[in-house]
Structures are given as C-alpha cells and as structure tokens.
Amino acid sequence: VICESVFLVQLYKPVLNQSLFCPFSADIISTVEFNYSGELLATGDKGGRVVIFQHEQESKNRPHLRGEYNVYSTFQSHEPEFDYLKSLEIEEKINKIRWLPQQNAAHFLLSTNDKTIKLWKISERDKRAEGYNLKDEDGRLRDPFRITSLRVPVLMPMDLMVEASPRRIFANAHTYHINSISVNSDHETYLSADDLRINLWHLEITDRSFNIVDIKPANMEELTEVITAAECHPHQCNVFVYSSSKGTIRLCDMRAAALCDRHSKFFEEPEDPSSRSFFSEIISSISDVKFSHSGRYMMTRDYLSVKVWDLNMENRPVETYQVHEYLRSKLCSLYENDCIFDKFECCWNGSDSAIMTGSYNNFFRMFDRNTRRDITLEASRESSKPRATLKPRKVSTGGKRKKDEISVDSLDFNKKILHTAWHPKDNVIAVAATNNLYIFQDKLN
C-alpha cells in the first residue's frame, strides 16, 4: 500500500496550559474516529476539546482533493473536575469518541473522559426566522398596544452555523477510569468499560446503567488482571468482547445471564516457555480489541504484535503480525522510561482486507491480509506536502545498515503514533502524532 499525503493539519499549536502539572500537554491528540459514512472525522485531545473535520466535496476544478478534510466544528467537551470525597483530580482529557449512525440531518457522538460520558448533537443552521409579531428584529419585546397588524414570520438565509449541544450526560457510574465506550448494533444501547467493570447504558436514560461485568475481587490484594478494552459485536447486539492485561479475550452473550461474569468463549494463545522473560506479562497485555466489519474476526493489539482471531477458534489466532519485533532487545530500557506501558490502537480498512497500527518514531504499520505484505510509513512534516508520496521506511537491527534505513538505536521513543483511524469506505487514513493530525489517501494515478 503506497499512500499519498493529502495535507497535514496542524490543529493544535502548543500553548501554555493553565494546569500546574501538565504544561503544553493540552494539545496532544488522544483519540481519532471517523463517523459511519466517513464524511466526518472527530479528534479529541488532552485539553477536553473535540475538533470535527468535514470531507471536502470533490469538484470539477479540484478533482484530486478527494481526501481533503477541513475544520467543521470545534467545541469544549469536558472540563477538569475535582472529586472532593476522594481528593482526586479528574482530567478533562478525551479518552474515546464514538459516533452514532446518522438518523436525520444532525450528527450525534459520544465522548468520554475518565469518569463522565456525554452525548453531543452537532447540527447546522443556515436560516433564521424574521418578522415576529411580539419581538423586534433585535429580539426586544414590542409594546402590545403598538401592534396593529399581524405578520407572518419568514425564514431568511444566514451564514452557516454549526452548533454542538450536549443532549445527555452519563455520570457517576464508574469508580475507576473509563477506557472504552462502544455503541451497540441496536443503536439504542452502548457499553462503557473501566478497569474492573463494564456497564450497559440506554441512550435515553442517564440516571442508571446495568452492570454486566464485574471482575473486582472481594480482597483487592488478590487482583491479578484488569479490563483493558471492550467492544460490541457489529451485527449481534447481544454479543460483546473484552480484553485483559493478561493477554486474554472473553466473548460474552448477554442472553445467557444478566451478569456476564461467565464468558461464552475464551481466547488465549499458549505462551512459549522458551521465550518467557521478566517482561512477558507486560508485553502480552492487550491495549485494543476491534471486531472486523463482517463480524467474523476480531483483532487485538499487544505491545509487539497485532493478532487476528477467528471467532470460531479460541486456542490461537489465525494471523499474527509483528509490528516492531526489533524492540524485543530494548525492553529493559523501554521499561525504565515507561514506554513499555504505551497503549497502541489498531484499525481495519473498510473491506477487512488490511489492518493498521502505530509504532515509535512516528512510524505506522500497514498489513495486507491477502498477500501478507506489510509496509512501514512515517508521518512527518517532510512527507506532509500535498501530493508527496510516502516512502517505505526500514529499521536496521544489525551493525551495518543500508542507505535509507534507520538504526534501531536512533528511534525517537517520544514520537509515537498511538491513535489511528481508517475511512469506512475509501482508502483514506488519519494518523495522530502528538499534536499533529496527518491525513493520507492511496496514491492517485
């Protein structure tokens, strides 16, 4: 897969954050998500803001701009809070954004920080009513005794205005930090997961949710694993999966019991005893799980690899792709600088034939499932000029490296791509690199 850079959106210029603890960190992008049609792309950041981009319609004058996205709406989704009972500061950082399928002219999305989930309505207004009987044009009430005739209000065109308004706030249901939200295929309910519990919500009910998974032990000293991600099946509204820090995935069926502590299927790859090390348990922790669009497969991302599982085979994955195997010899230093705990996400393309995930040095990896070919690309300012073709990058692990290769010792571990998204229909991808959003499309002939 060869990508062509459409353009770089430098959307968040570093500014001094008012927080005493994290200056300059508010602009770091923390989630990226296309909506169901791919027309809109939403990003959330550590400052609690949501920025929505809209796909630029292709025109006869500029037919080559089929992948260009322009800013559509920006709004503050979450504010910093403080839990006085627990003396706990709650960050405004947006952990996840999930779009709802479009039902009318407006768009709806869910956004969450560590504790509170909000449902937002994004709507357009390009007309305003004029000619009220009881109000002047500037909105002041008229004297009823001076009204001598009735007027029929008319709609007049105005400059397009995009409004984002909170419709629901789902709060006070999670003791621990929310790591996942997932909209169900019935489009009426959604899941929210934290370290130890998963809750099921109805989109119309904010004051209560149903706890469907609870792995908290009676004695917290016996805690051995936590929930890392959860997702609903794309077609079966009763099925969902959740992954754990032990590298296991549990598939649950909500028809079996109200509390899904007993799973229907348990996916785990047996560990090779010869390769076991001090870091084995840390690098086996799953940071992301995604169902394929078809619902037949699911993909999991651990620290070093991406695995594709067939839902009908629990004992091992059907495909395993090494993302950055050259880092296995660097695990000790990665542990010391805490990079080994980074949570990389993964995503499918629209036809489930390719997958993508991020790495360090602003590299991201794409794997073709049919040909088993893979490619490493870099999101950088040099490659972000319009129409610039991305060149494949290679990492050298030996002493002697070829031209155009980069040594594993030269990788910048502060530059990392944790969040990626793939357009549901076209070969357009969005890659978040710290405070920059890169959008690429497949090469045009």
Side-chain angles (χ1 to χ4, degrees):
V1 182
I2 301 297
C3 285
E4 185 176 57
S5 171
V6 177
F7 67 126
L8 158 71
V9 182
Q10 183 171 22
L11 137 121
Y12 308 105
K13 293 180 181 176
V15 293
L16 183 61
N17 187 14
Q18 298 303 314
S19 167
L20 290 172
F21 304 103
C22 305
F24 303 108
S25 69
D27 302 322
I28 296 173
I29 301 172
S30 54
T31 183
V32 183
E33 187 78 11
F34 280 102
N35 73 340
Y36 281 74
S37 67
E39 180 198 356
L40 299 177
L41 171 66
T43 66
D45 67 17
K46 286 194 171 183
R49 291 166 296 185
V50 172
V51 180
I52 301 175
F53 299 88
Q54 185 180 43
H55 182 244
E56 184 76 19
Q57 293 299 320
E58 187 177 322
S59 65
K60 293 181 180 178
N61 299 331
R62 300 190 300 171
H64 56 283
L65 291 182
R66 66 184 170 102
E68 185 163 319
Y69 284 76
N70 293 322
V71 175
Y72 179 65
S73 177
T74 304
F75 59 93
Q76 188 73 28
S77 175
H78 287 71
E79 301 282 354
E81 300 173 42
F82 192 81
D83 188 332
Y84 293 97
L85 291 175
K86 297 180 180 177
S87 295
L88 186 68
E89 186 177 0
I90 302 170
E91 290 184 335
E92 64 270 39
K93 173 193 166 191
I94 307 296
N95 290 344
K96 295 288 179 184
I97 290 174
R98 289 292 179 264
W99 290 91
L100 273 63
Q102 189 175 3
Q103 307 289 347
N104 50 39
H107 299 272
F108 290 85
L109 63 82
L110 290 166
S111 63
T112 183
N113 66 350
D114 287 339
K115 298 290 182 182
T116 305
I117 305 162
K118 295 184 180 182
L119 174 66
W120 290 89
K121 177 184 179 182
I122 295 93
S123 55
E124 295 182 354
R125 197 169 67 180
D126 59 358
K127 291 183 176 63
R128 68 171 181 267
E130 290 185 359
Y132 287 106
N133 289 289
L134 301 177
K135 292 180 182 178
D136 289 328
E137 299 306 327
D138 57 3
R140 289 181 298 182
L141 288 173
R142 298 171 64 189
D143 184 356
F145 296 103
R146 297 180 61 187
I147 299 173
T148 58
S149 61
L150 287 176
R151 294 187 291 179
V152 177
V154 293
L155 290 174
M156 300 296 290
M158 59 177 280
D159 291 338
L160 178 66
M161 202 165 85
V162 181
E163 297 177 317
S165 53
R167 301 307 299 270
R168 307 270 189 280
I169 297 178
F170 308 89
N172 305 321
H174 284 277
T175 306
Y176 308 99
H177 292 176
I178 298 172
N179 56 47
S180 302
I181 52 175
S182 179
V183 180
N184 210 340
S185 59
D186 60 12
H187 304 156
E188 293 184 353
T189 57
Y190 72 92
L191 298 179
S192 62
D194 64 25
D195 291 342
L196 298 178
R197 297 187 179 99
I198 300 176
N199 292 334
L200 179 68
W201 299 83
H202 194 285
L203 286 164
E204 300 292 331
I205 302 171
T206 60
D207 60 349
R208 65 183 180 275
S209 61
F210 298 98
N211 180 227
I212 55 174
V213 173
D214 187 349
I215 65 168
K216 183 180 179 182
N219 181 2
M220 285 295 278
E221 291 181 0
E222 299 172 3
L223 182 67
T224 58
E225 64 180 333
V226 295
I227 298 168
T228 55
E231 187 174 65
C232 297
H233 192 278
H235 309 303
Q236 300 173 29
C237 62
N238 53 287
V239 174
F240 68 95
V241 294
Y242 66 93
S243 57
S244 84
S245 56
K246 279 193 168 181
T248 61
I249 312 103
R250 292 170 175 84
L251 184 141
C252 300
D253 190 335
M254 287 186 276
R255 296 173 302 185
L259 191 62
C260 299
D261 285 351
R262 293 186 178 179
H263 47 266
S264 301
K265 292 188 176 182
F266 183 77
F267 300 85
E268 183 180 26
E269 185 174 27
E271 186 184 10
D272 182 4
S274 62
S275 63
R276 180 160 182 81
S277 69
F278 171 78
F279 305 106
S280 294
E281 191 167 322
I282 300 174
I283 64 174
S284 67
S285 175
I286 294 173
S287 56
D288 196 17
V289 57
K290 293 275 174 64
F291 278 109
S292 63
H293 294 87
S294 67
R296 170 71 186 274
Y297 302 96
M298 65 178 175
M299 169 172 52
T300 60
R301 171 71 207 261
D302 55 45
Y303 190 67
L304 294 179
S305 65
V306 174
K307 295 171 183 174
V308 176
W309 302 77
D310 189 321
L311 293 190
N312 298 323
M313 191 166 77
E314 303 170 52
N315 58 342
R316 60 185 175 85
V318 291
E319 299 163 28
T320 300
Y321 302 96
Q322 300 301 331
V323 178
H324 37 216
E325 183 64 20
Y326 47 80
L327 294 182
R328 192 175 288 276
S329 61
K330 302 281 183 186
L331 292 178
C332 190
S333 58
L334 290 166
Y335 178 79
E336 290 173 356
N337 62 18
D338 283 346
C339 284
I340 201 169
F341 302 106
D342 286 334
K343 299 184 184 304
F344 292 95
E345 296 176 4
C346 52
C347 60
W348 300 85
N349 71 340
S351 62
D352 298 335
S353 62
I355 56 181
M356 175 174 61
T357 190
S359 181
Y360 294 104
N361 207 70
N362 279 1
F363 288 170
F364 59 98
R365 302 268 283 144
M366 305 172 83
F367 303 92
D368 189 311
R369 297 181 60 213
N370 298 323
T371 63
R372 294 302 175 99
R373 292 174 61 189
D374 63 88
I375 191 170
T376 302
L377 300 170
E378 181 181 9
S380 66
R381 292 185 166 276
E382 291 72 28
S383 62
S384 64
K385 297 172 183 175
R387 291 336 110 220
T389 301
L390 295 186
K391 295 181 180 178
R393 302 301 305 268
K394 289 189 177 179
V395 178
S396 167
T397 54
K400 192 175 182 181
R401 61 185 178 93
K402 300 177 184 176
K403 186 183 178 183
D404 297 332
E405 284 188 345
I406 182 169
S407 169
V408 68
D409 297 316
S410 304
L411 296 176
D412 188 344
F413 293 107
N414 292 317
K415 294 180 178 178
K416 58 191 83 171
I417 291 179
L418 303 177
H419 314 288
T420 58
W422 206 313
H423 192 288
K425 298 173 184 174
D426 300 331
N427 276 334
V428 176
I429 59 173
V431 173
T434 318
N435 63 333
N436 294 322
L437 176 69
Y438 297 84
I439 300 177
F440 304 103
Q441 67 184 23
D442 61 337
K443 189 175 181 181
L444 296 170
N445 296 324

